[in-house]
Each structure stands twice: as C-alpha cells, then as structure tokens.
Amino acid sequence: MTTLQPSAPPADLPAGSVLSVRGLRKDFTLHTIDGRVVEALHGVDLDVAPGEHVALAGTSGAGKSTLLRCVYRTYLAGGGHIWFRTAAGDLVDVAALPDATVADLRGHEIGYVSQFLKAQPRRSVLTTVASAGTARGMARDAAREAAAAALRQVGIAEHLWDMHATVLSGGQKQRVNIAAGTIAPPRLLLLDEPVSALDPANRSAVLDLIARLERTGTAVLSVFHDLDAIERLATRVVVLGGGRVLASGPPEQILRDSSLPLEVAR
C-alpha cells in the first residue's frame, strides 16, 4: 500500500466544488486465494458541486461502491487524491488525513448511508437518529425534534422509537439509517443502495426525502441499481467500467446510451 502524503490542491479544481477526486487508485490483494492483486480503481477523476446529485452507474465490479468507500475512508486509497471542501472553505485531502481528522469529518460534514444500519446496542431508534444531528452541531432538543420529523418522513411508527434499533427488521433499519443520514444534512452525503430492501410506499417516501437535499445544498454521490431512482434524483450520471470513468452526463442522455455498460433495473 502506497502511503499518501499531504499536498497542495491543484489550481484547476472547480471553484466551490464540495468533492474533487483526482487520479484515484485502489487495489486489493487476495491473500486467502493466491496473493494476486486485483485493481478496482484505475485513476478516477470526479467532481460534485453543492446541491448536485451524482449517481454512479455501471456493471457489477465496476468500482462504484469501492469509490464511495474510498471517499468515506473506509478503504485507504492506493494513489491519487480526494479533495473535500470543508464548511470553513478549506480544501483537505481525505486520502492523506490522519484518522482522527477523518473521524471528525464523518461526524460533522460527511455522511454515509448504506442498506445496513450499524446500530449501537441498547440505543433507541430516536437516540440513534438524534445523535447524528448533535454530531453535526444541533442542540440536543432540536436534534430530537428533527429526528422525530425524519422518522415520520420515512414511515417509522412512533411506538418503535424507544425500541433498540438492533431489533428492527432489515427494511426498518434501512429507513432509520436514511433518517440519521439526512438529519442536519451533511455537506457531502454518500448513498450506497439506500432503498434496496424497501417496499414501494416506503421507497417513495425515502426518495422524496433524498430529493429535498438539493435545496439544502448537500452534495450527493450515490449508487443505485434502480433506473427510476437515478432518473428521479440524479442531476448527473457517471458511468464506471473497469475502474475508470467511461462517461458523464445528464441522466436522460447517459441512461439511454446503448453503447455504455449499464446494470440498472426498472
């Protein structure tokens, strides 16, 4: 693994962008098989502006979820830079930041929502969601009020709010995860298949909630295997293939290009 060193941001980054990925590389060593190295990302460049929703598309294994995890620093990048513009206006390279600084950014400015909720034991549903708000600077009472509103929006019945989040069904956990990710919206929200386990009614409510993030100025980078969700939410689609960016453009153009390797369902 290459150790990435802090460096000055290039002068040609888009003014005001929340996220600018440059030359991002990531590989995995298959230690339990034969030690071979599998390259997942091969020099990805990507920008996301405030209020923009960029959806990643492509076939399985194209590197979509790997890219999200590198941005969130769940995975360490093997090369390149992940420039994030903080609320204070500073450009920092997430790929090279100390772990403690990354943890602070996750709490305050970068959110991540997947189909799986990692709930702490003995913590209620309401507390789980409200804690995300207080981490982003909300007062405790305001966070609880906002958490209640978010839980109503995603259809979590009030009699479940005092239950431990760990005992909920998979679909309920997914909705709690969305509520926590969108309360006091972060500057950058990463979404990895956030509606995959939801029934049609709850899926629609969650998509409505995500759609409203545009008004808050939140930059969104997402992965959906759902053509309708991409068309409804995305302002731009970026197609990955073989760990590289193959195309980028408006949904109505990209999703109807038969030459592109897409794997989405209606």
Side-chain angles (χ1 to χ4, degrees):
M1 173 65 66
T2 302
T3 300
L4 302 180
Q5 299 297 325
S7 61
D12 62 349
L13 294 183
S17 64
V18 173
L19 177 69
S20 291
V21 175
R22 291 294 180 270
L24 184 62
R25 304 183 67 87
K26 176 63 181 175
D27 56 44
F28 298 95
T29 302
L30 305 182
H31 295 288
T32 60
I33 302 179
D34 56 8
R36 82 179 76 169
V37 176
V38 177
E39 293 187 308
L41 299 175
H42 304 275
V44 170
D45 292 349
L46 177 75
D47 297 293
V48 188
E52 185 178 26
H53 186 136
V54 175
L56 301 174
T59 58
S60 296
K64 303 183 296 294
S65 291
T66 297
L67 175 55
L68 289 187
R69 291 167 186 163
C70 284
V71 172
Y72 197 59
R73 256 281 287 277
T74 307
Y75 290 163
L76 288 173
H81 302 277
I82 303 167
W83 297 107
F84 174 73
R85 194 179 306 275
T86 69
D90 300 320
L91 273 172
V92 296
D93 185 3
V94 174
L97 289 175
D99 290 345
T101 305
V102 172
D104 186 62
L105 283 176
R106 286 175 177 174
H108 292 86
E109 302 194 41
I110 302 176
Y112 182 92
V113 175
S114 73
Q115 57 187 300
F116 306 108
L117 173 66
K118 295 180 179 179
Q120 295 183 13
R122 297 178 297 281
R123 175 171 282 195
S124 73
V125 168
L126 184 63
T127 300
T128 295
V129 178
S131 295
T134 55
R136 293 179 191 142
M138 297 182 73
R140 187 182 301 274
D141 289 346
R144 289 183 68 84
E145 290 180 10
L151 289 168
R152 291 189 184 98
Q153 174 67 34
V154 298
I156 298 295
E158 195 163 344
H159 72 271
L160 298 175
W161 294 0
D162 290 330
M163 294 180 63
H164 294 164
T166 52
V167 304
L168 299 180
S169 70
Q172 289 168 335
K173 288 178 180 177
Q174 195 168 13
R175 283 180 278 152
V176 171
N177 214 12
I178 284 285
T182 54
I183 185 176
R187 286 181 57 73
L188 174 65
L189 182 61
L190 308 171
L191 301 174
D192 194 358
E193 288 295 326
V195 296
S196 59
L198 302 185
D199 60 78
N202 285 313
R203 175 185 173 279
S204 180
V206 167
L207 292 181
D208 285 342
L209 186 60
I210 296 171
R212 289 202 293 273
L213 292 174
E214 184 177 346
R215 307 173 198 165
T216 71
T218 296
V220 180
L221 183 63
S222 69
V223 174
F224 289 96
H225 287 134
D226 182 332
L227 182 61
D228 176 67
I230 294 174
E231 290 182 321
R232 181 173 174 181
L233 298 174
T235 54
R236 184 159 51 93
V237 177
V238 172
V239 181
L240 296 181
R244 295 182 172 87
V245 174
L246 302 181
S248 176
E252 61 271 18
Q253 171 192 328
I254 296 296
L255 297 179
R256 287 161 180 75
D257 189 336
S258 60
S259 69
L260 294 173
L262 300 176
E263 193 174 84
V264 290
R266 285 195 180 273

